Amino acid sequence: MAKDNYVFASESVSEGHPDKVCDRVSDAIVDLYLGADPQARVAVETLATTNKVILAGEVRGPASITHELIAATAREAIREIGYEQQGFHWRDADVTVLIHQQSADIAVGVDATDSKDEGAGDQGIMFGYACRETDALMPAPIYYAHAILRSLAEARHSGAAPLLGPDAKSQVSLQYEAGKPVRATSVVVSTQHDGSIDQREVREIVRPHVLRVLPEGWMCEETSFYVNPTGRFVIGGPDGDAGLTGRKIIVDTYGGAAPHGGGAFSGKDPTKVDRSAAYAARYLAKNVVASGLAEKCVIQLSYAIGVARPLSVYINTNGTGKVDEDRLSAVLQELVDLRPQGIRTHLGLNRPIYKRTSSYGHFGRTPDADGGFSWERLDLVDALRATFGNAAR
C-alpha cells in the first residue's frame, strides 16, 4: 500500500551544467538539420571538457550542412548559454566534428516503402506521466527545482545577477501529507559565481528566487536551506567537470516521481521513439488527467526497431481512475495514431523545435506558437469528456 505521508526530492541542473551544455549542442544540431530538411535523420552525441567539444554520430540530410557549419552551430549554442571563461569559451574552444552518414542497416529498417509503414527508429520502452500536484500537471518537486534555476538563469541573462555563472544545480525536498505536497523540508542550490563574492553573498542572491518560486508558506527552515554547501563554486561548466549528452534523463522528465524508459532525448530526430513516443506518452497522460478521468496517470509505450505499431500500450492511474483502464487505452489509440509517423504528424515534430527543450525539463512547459512543446497541448480533453461523459466531471 502506498504511503500517504512522506518526503520526496527531485533535482534540476541549469543550462550551463556540463551535461546540459552537451544536450543543448546536440539539440542545436538536430534543429540545424530539421530546419534544412524536415525529413533529416540525426543522432548526435556531444562531449565537452576544458576548452574542447567533440561531436560524434550519424546523420542523413543536405550536403549543404558541412562540418564547418556544424561547428559554428555548436559555438553559437555555447555562446547563448553564456560561456566566456578562460577554461571554456564559445570562441576559443576546440570543436571537433566526427559525424558520418546514417547506417544503411538502420535506414532500411526505419524507412517506409510501398509494402510497409515507417518503422520505429529503435526498440525501447517510453513512459509519460501527469498528476494534479501543479497547474502544469507535473510532480511538484521537479517543477519547483526547475523553476528556481530558470529564475536564476533569467536574472543572469538580463544582467540582474551579473555575479552568477552559467553552471548551477538545485534540489527540492517536499513533505507530502495525505498524498499531497504541503511544504519544503529542504532546498539546495549550488551556483557558479564570481570569485569576488563569498558564500553568504551568494546565498542572499539566491534566496529571493527560491521564495518567489515556492508557494507562500512553503519555504523550509533556515537550517535546511543550503546554498553552495562546499563554500565556493567559481570553476564550473565543462572546465570543472566533463559533460556528455543524455546523462540527465531523470532531470529531463519527472524527477524520479514516475518511471523512465532509459532512452535519452537530446541529439535525436523525432523518428527515434526514445524522443517522440515519450512526448506522445506525456501528451496522452496529461490529457487524461486534465479531462478529469484520473488524478494521476502513467502511460508506457513499447516499440521494436523497424516495426510501426507499438507492441504494448499500458495505462496505470494508480487507483485514481474513474474509467476502465483497458477502455481508456483503446480510446486513446483511436484518438492518436501511435505509429512513429502518426506521432510526428499529430504533434508536428518534424520542425526545428528542440534546442529549447534541452534545459529545465521537456515537460510541464507552455506550448509555443511555432509548435514547440506541442505535446503539452490539452486538445484531447473535449474528446475524452465527450466519450466518457459524467466520469470526466
Side-chain angles (χ1 to χ4, degrees):
M1 181 178 294
K3 293 173 61 177
D4 287 333
N5 302 314
Y6 54 91
V7 175
F8 191 84
S10 294
E11 70 161 350
S12 180
V13 296
S14 73
E15 65 202 69
H17 183 280
D19 295 329
K20 282 292 152 198
V21 171
C22 294
D23 284 346
R24 189 181 187 114
V25 169
S26 291
D27 275 338
I29 304 308
V30 172
D31 283 355
L32 175 66
Y33 272 91
L34 292 179
D37 177 4
Q39 304 306 317
R41 302 287 171 81
V42 185
V44 171
E45 314 295 339
T46 304
L47 162 69
T49 186
T50 302
N51 266 338
K52 179 74 175 179
V53 178
I54 300 173
L55 294 93
E58 58 177 31
V59 297
R60 188 173 76 191
S64 58
I65 300 180
T66 62
H67 281 195
E68 290 73 21
L69 181 55
I70 291 171
T73 300
R75 292 186 190 281
E76 177 61 15
I78 296 166
R79 187 195 67 78
E80 290 172 345
I81 294 169
Y83 273 113
E84 297 184 344
Q85 301 170 6
Q86 183 176 358
F88 196 72
H89 196 298
W90 64 269
R91 186 188 59 237
D92 302 332
D94 177 24
V95 180
T96 300
V97 180
L98 305 173
I99 294 175
H100 58 80
Q101 289 298 302
Q102 183 184 51
S103 162
D105 290 344
I106 293 176
V108 73
V110 176
D111 289 346
T113 67
D114 291 340
S115 60
K116 78 175 188 70
D117 289 336
E118 176 189 292
D122 202 351
Q123 73 173 48
I125 55 174
M126 299 84 205
F127 287 91
Y129 181 66
C131 63
R132 290 202 169 274
E133 293 181 13
T134 61
D135 290 342
L137 303 184
M138 286 288 288
I142 189 68
Y143 180 81
Y144 294 123
H146 284 322
I148 290 167
L149 294 188
R150 193 161 54 241
S151 181
L152 288 169
E154 289 169 355
R156 178 173 60 84
H157 284 297
S158 71
L163 297 178
L164 297 186
D167 194 357
K169 301 180 74 171
S170 66
Q171 184 171 287
V172 175
S173 301
L174 296 184
Q175 175 71 50
Y176 283 70
E177 295 180 358
K180 299 183 183 300
V182 295
R183 62 181 176 276
T185 60
S186 67
V187 175
V188 184
V189 179
S190 296
T191 179
Q192 187 181 9
H193 60 89
D194 189 271
S196 65
I197 58 175
D198 61 21
Q199 184 185 31
R200 179 189 57 79
E201 293 170 288
V202 175
R203 185 185 188 89
E204 295 314 310
I205 292 173
V206 168
R207 185 189 301 276
H209 295 274
V210 177
L211 292 173
R212 185 181 308 124
V213 162
L214 292 177
E216 186 175 357
W218 278 38
M219 184 61 176
C220 62
E221 297 291 334
E222 187 67 15
T223 54
S224 297
F225 178 40
Y226 303 96
V227 176
N228 286 9
T230 62
R232 182 175 170 83
F233 187 1
V234 174
I235 300 173
D239 187 30
D241 189 12
L244 290 170
T245 301
R247 285 205 298 194
K248 289 293 179 283
I249 58 176
I250 301 303
V251 170
D252 285 342
T253 54
Y254 308 103
H260 190 291
F265 303 154
S266 291
K268 298 175 182 177
D269 75 76
T271 66
K272 280 70 170 176
V273 285
D274 276 342
R275 178 165 228 160
S276 56
Y279 291 170
R282 160 65 178 175
Y283 172 63
L284 296 178
K286 185 178 183 183
N287 276 269
V288 166
V289 172
S291 68
L293 294 174
E295 290 293 306
K296 58 178 67 174
C297 181
V298 173
I299 294 181
Q300 184 206 59
L301 307 175
S302 70
Y303 293 85
I305 189 169
V307 178
R309 294 193 179 279
L311 306 184
S312 64
V313 180
Y314 164 83
I315 298 179
N316 184 354
T317 56
N318 293 279
T320 70
K322 299 178 181 178
V323 299
D324 179 74
E325 290 170 349
D326 289 338
R327 186 180 176 218
L328 179 57
S329 174
V331 169
L332 291 174
Q333 291 178 74
E334 290 174 2
L335 291 174
V336 179
D337 180 358
L338 293 175
R339 292 175 296 178
Q341 188 170 13
I343 292 171
R344 296 202 317 279
T345 300
H346 189 96
L347 296 178
L349 298 181
N350 284 94
R351 294 185 256 193
I353 55 174
Y354 297 105
K355 184 172 64 172
R356 71 194 75 172
T357 69
S358 62
S359 53
Y360 313 118
H362 291 244
F363 307 125
R365 310 287 288 272
T366 302
D368 293 325
D370 66 352
F373 300 105
S374 59
W375 48 94
E376 294 295 313
R377 299 188 319 235
L378 294 175
D379 51 4
L380 300 181
V381 168
D382 289 345
L384 288 170
R385 287 176 174 169
T387 299
F388 290 102
N390 290 335
R393 303 188 189 282

